[in-house]
Amino acid sequence: MALMRPVPKEEHSAHTISQRLRTLKKIPPELIPLGIVLAVALGAAAWSMGSKLVTDKTLRLTKSNRSDTFK
């Protein structure tokens, strides 16, 4: 009967930290520098965009009133 089979366990149901760290060992060592470079690049991009939004006073962050534009 198909209804009597046990429910299969989920692959990522409740892992501990050490179990998750063991899965990092499956990553090929050649890809680790690539991951580091990507993480640094994404962090630099986020920092650059954030600093631009905070420091640039000429950047319009709110919608302007259209009636003022066509006068």
Side-chain angles (χ1 to χ4, degrees):
M1 285 186 166
L3 297 175
M4 298 302 283
R5 289 187 195 150
V7 177
K9 261 189 144 178
E10 287 187 30
E11 189 176 325
H12 302 288
S13 57
H15 290 300
T16 62
I17 299 293
S18 61
Q19 287 172 325
R20 290 188 188 273
L21 288 176
R22 265 187 259 136
T23 60
L24 290 177
K25 292 181 182 178
K26 295 178 183 177
I27 298 174
E30 301 87 24
L31 294 180
I32 293 175
L34 178 65
I36 292 170
V37 168
L38 281 173
V40 168
L42 290 174
W47 179 80
S48 176
M49 287 184 353
S51 67
K52 177 74 172 176
L53 289 173
V54 171
T55 58
D56 191 3
K57 299 301 177 197
T58 62
L59 189 65
R60 186 178 61 153
L61 297 176
T62 59
K63 195 174 185 179
S64 66
N65 194 356
R66 288 192 67 155
S67 62
D68 294 341
T69 309
F70 296 113
K71 283 186 176 180

